[in-house]
Amino acid sequence: MACKGREVIRHVWAWRTVVTLFVTPIVLLPLIVAFNAPETKCAYAVILMAVYWITESLPLGITALLPVFLFPLFEIVSSNEIASQYFNVRRRKL
């Protein structure tokens, strides 16, 4: 019986990134459903990014780009505003 439990744990551990990718947004979904405010939507995106960042379920570069997609989707910030923050290049005067 103990061997079967270890097999299950080993199998779940092998699939941990996939489970994290799909379960985390579902677990956090009540935030958006219960409180439909821009602050709550922003908290959803930030917590989702933090979980992905800590567990490294997604590569860090992709995790860092999540606000580019989530903020306009949740109508927190327009796509022009968020893109300008990501792609803001300051030129030095020589």
Side-chain angles (χ1 to χ4, degrees):
M1 194 80 158
C3 287
K4 186 153 181 116
R6 287 184 183 176
E7 275 184 45
V8 170
I9 290 172
R10 190 176 318 135
H11 188 69
V12 169
W13 187 254
W15 285 87
R16 71 185 179 277
T17 56
V18 175
V19 170
T20 304
L21 279 173
F22 292 108
V23 171
T24 304
I26 294 169
V27 168
L28 294 175
L29 195 60
L31 275 176
I32 295 175
V33 174
F35 310 103
N36 193 11
E39 295 85 4
T40 312
K41 293 175 182 178
C42 185
Y44 176 86
V46 169
I47 294 169
L48 186 67
M49 283 180 48
V51 170
Y52 287 169
W53 198 289
I54 291 168
T55 60
E56 293 186 15
S57 298
L58 287 175
L60 295 180
I62 294 173
T63 304
L65 287 174
L66 281 177
V68 172
F69 302 106
L70 292 178
F71 286 1
L73 179 71
F74 292 148
E75 297 175 351
I76 299 168
V77 178
S78 71
S79 58
N80 288 337
E81 286 182 70
I82 195 76
S84 69
Q85 294 300 317
Y86 272 83
F87 304 111
N88 187 9
V89 178
R90 295 184 182 181
R91 298 177 191 230
R92 290 190 218 168
K93 293 183 180 180
L94 297 174

